[in-house]
Amino acid sequence: MTQQKLDTVFEEWQSNEALAEEMIPLLGKLYRQYNIVSSLFGRSLINQSVIRILKDHRFVKKVEGTELSVQDTYPLVKAMVDLNLGPAHVDIGKLAVAFKHSGETDVVAFLKRELAEIVDGHGGNGSTGEPKDVVLYGFGRIGRLLARILIEKAGGGNMLRLRAIVVRGRGDIAKDLEKRASLLRRDSVHGPFSGTLSVDEEARTITANGNVIKVIYADSPSEIDYTAYGIDNAIVVDNTGIWRDEDGLSQHLACKGAAKALLTAPGKGDIKNVVYGVNHGDITSDDRIVSAASCTTNAIVPVLKALNDHYGVEHGHVETVHAYTNDQNLIDNYHKGDRRGRSAPLNMVLTETGAAKAVAKALPELAGKLTGNAIRVPTPNVSMAILNLRLHQATDAEALNDYLRRMALHSPMQKQIDYVDSAEVVSSDFVGNRHAGIVDAKATIVDGNNAVVYAWYDNEFGYSCQVVRILQHMSNVSFLAFPKDRD
């Protein structure tokens, strides 16, 4: 390669960097002023760095086969700012590809046609509805990640307001507050909190990026009157897992100021177990208690639905290779569960999973067709589900992978199913992934009617994103999505 060619490549990179830098404040304005949630083939562009934006453009070529750069997307973003748009989710990457393929040259005319429903739709405050108060009951792994996501989304039309967290404690409150804030600020797996945190010991609050969050100390729901803190008609997200049936979770509804309860664990009895993107439409206005099922159920159900809809699933087995959790012991000690008393960081632990049976609660058509087991392994986060399936319709690996790739990019489940086609990825590459599950195309095995599909999932963060999507649905927070599906 000549020096001139080398210089050209570097100049092109610098030019793209400069455009990405110019794009960031425009994306921020669209988000905060017009409630436009921008993405690039399903990957959020909100609060992203220059390098992250450039990497996401490269991602498009890998999965879609279409070259896309900021040179293509920047003109669309710049033009959108002047269209006085109403609230919506807009995939700028898909719009840019459509514009390139259209052969048109007038960006504004193209956008006015594609976004016709929201052009000049911006109201006085851009509101999509009444804000909904959210309370996190429990502040462990999932509780803190939910807090991070809710704080990150605040101010952009999300309409979910994190008002309080509930924890146990009667000792040194000042010290406890600092420790709670510190655990939110620093995370060994997910890294530092993106923003600033401060603690007001007298008011018993944590302020995160301008969001004032009340810390309520209580040993049971019966001790709490949320209205005393200015909280009303709230959704209480129970992250403790202590109560999983209607009787136990109804304690939250007995509290003044609480309207609904959402459980971040599989629900028992008649409680609806919901996997967003698959059966969230089953939630009615009369449902006051809902379960977000488990992380594994969320990871496998969208993929299973996609496969069953297209090929039909005759029967199968689900094996999960799961990161260890707080439920296990650091070193050997008593545990009521079989094998779980053995040291989590030193052993692979064969154990049970209810995910296979739980699939039927979200996909009744697969009832009785799946078995399941689990192996807990010495990693702190990111798990894998291995779906060993007998399909009604024979296929091959290339066709099955292409179908799942299209589901990941262009179906209503694009936020649930991600797709990767690399022989080099490992578990740590998926920390922070917002999808429920990620299909590993290189690992797919197909022999006629028999298929083995591997799906990674961030069992903490990906699951938490699914919980927030249910929260939005329960709060009637919804957006139009563009571009419209052309299939």
Side-chain angles (χ1 to χ4, degrees), residues 2 128 166 231 281 284 296 324 377 425 433 468:
T2 65
T128 59
V166 180
I231 300 169
T284 70
T296 301
Y324 58 67
V377 294
V425 293
N433 189 292
V468 171

Side-chain angles (χ1 to χ4, degrees), residues 70-181:
V70 286
Q71 307 284 343
D72 302 307
T73 53
Y74 176 79
L76 276 74
V77 174
K78 186 176 181 181
M80 285 169 59
V81 172
D82 298 322
L83 293 180
N84 197 38
L85 300 174
H89 284 257
V90 178
D91 195 311
I92 293 167
K94 291 181 180 180
L95 282 176
V97 169
F99 182 66
K100 285 181 71 174
H101 290 168
S102 72
E104 298 179 48
T105 57
D106 191 333
V107 171
V108 173
F110 172 81
L111 288 174
K112 284 185 175 180
R113 185 179 69 251
E114 292 291 321
L115 307 178
E117 292 179 64
I118 57 170
V119 172
D120 289 326
H122 178 61
N125 58 10
S127 173
T128 59
E130 290 297 319
K132 172 67 69 173
D133 289 349
V134 176
V135 174
L136 299 178
Y137 194 95
F139 206 52
R141 298 296 301 160
I142 299 302
R144 292 193 295 274
L145 288 176
L146 288 174
R148 285 188 173 202
I149 296 168
L150 290 169
I151 293 163
E152 169 198 294
K153 289 180 174 291
N158 182 60
M159 307 308 290
L160 296 177
R161 303 185 303 188
L162 177 55
R163 297 295 308 281
I165 61 174
V166 180
V167 296
R168 290 177 294 181
R170 288 287 186 271
D172 187 337
I173 298 299
K175 185 176 181 180
D176 186 88
L177 280 168
E178 286 291 347
K179 283 186 172 292
R180 305 281 179 187

Side-chain angles (χ1 to χ4, degrees), residues 344-357:
L346 296 178
N347 295 287
M348 292 192 295
V349 180
L350 186 64
T351 185
E352 73 284 342
T353 177
K357 291 182 179 179

Side-chain angles (χ1 to χ4, degrees), residues 196-212:
T196 62
L197 293 170
S198 62
V199 172
D200 187 325
E201 298 171 4
E202 185 176 349
R204 295 188 179 182
T205 60
I206 297 173
T207 300
N209 293 356
N211 298 269
V212 180

Side-chain angles (χ1 to χ4, degrees), residues 114-363:
E114 292 291 321
L115 307 178
E117 292 179 64
I118 57 170
V119 172
D120 289 326
H122 178 61
N125 58 10
S127 173
T128 59
E130 290 297 319
K132 172 67 69 173
D133 289 349
V134 176
V135 174
L136 299 178
Y137 194 95
F139 206 52
R141 298 296 301 160
I142 299 302
R144 292 193 295 274
L145 288 176
L146 288 174
R148 285 188 173 202
I149 296 168
L150 290 169
I151 293 163
E152 169 198 294
K153 289 180 174 291
N158 182 60
M159 307 308 290
L160 296 177
R161 303 185 303 188
L162 177 55
R163 297 295 308 281
I165 61 174
V166 180
V167 296
R168 290 177 294 181
R170 288 287 186 271
D172 187 337
I173 298 299
K175 185 176 181 180
D176 186 88
L177 280 168
E178 286 291 347
K179 283 186 172 292
R180 305 281 179 187
S182 180
L183 285 169
L184 181 59
R185 182 180 291 115
R186 306 175 183 89
D187 191 283
S188 300
V189 173
H190 299 281
F193 175 77
S194 181
T196 62
L197 293 170
S198 62
V199 172
D200 187 325
E201 298 171 4
E202 185 176 349
R204 295 188 179 182
T205 60
I206 297 173
T207 300
N209 293 356
N211 298 269
V212 180
I213 305 162
K214 182 71 177 181
V215 181
I216 301 172
Y217 291 88
D219 292 325
S220 73
S222 62
E223 300 176 17
I224 307 170
D225 176 359
Y226 291 113
T227 60
Y229 307 102
I231 300 169
D232 195 24
N233 199 34
I235 298 179
V236 179
V237 184
D238 189 315
N239 306 295
T240 67
I242 297 173
W243 308 287
R244 293 170 56 189
D245 58 14
E246 188 169 352
D247 286 344
L249 293 167
S250 291
Q251 296 177 76
H252 294 302
L253 306 182
C255 300
K256 289 183 180 180
K260 297 179 180 180
L262 175 59
L263 172 65
T264 60
K268 295 181 178 180
D270 294 330
I271 294 176
K272 291 179 180 177
N273 283 250
V274 174
V275 174
Y276 190 87
V278 176
N279 69 326
H280 62 275
D282 293 345
I283 302 174
T284 70
S285 58
D286 295 329
D287 290 320
R288 300 188 66 196
I289 301 175
V290 173
S291 161
S294 72
C295 56
T296 301
T297 303
N298 274 266
I300 65 177
V301 164
V303 177
L304 285 168
K305 175 174 171 53
L307 293 172
N308 189 57
D309 286 351
H310 191 68
Y311 297 102
V313 174
E314 187 176 323
H315 60 78
H317 177 79
V318 179
E319 192 74 33
T320 66
V321 183
H322 201 292
Y324 58 67
T325 67
N326 277 330
D327 176 63
Q328 295 172 257
N329 289 331
L330 187 61
I331 57 174
D332 289 2
N333 208 342
Y334 175 80
H335 193 295
K336 64 180 180 180
D338 294 343
R339 310 187 203 230
R340 292 200 185 194
R342 303 300 296 278
S343 172
L346 296 178
N347 295 287
M348 292 192 295
V349 180
L350 186 64
T351 185
E352 73 284 342
T353 177
K357 291 182 179 179
V359 166
K361 292 189 175 183
L363 280 179

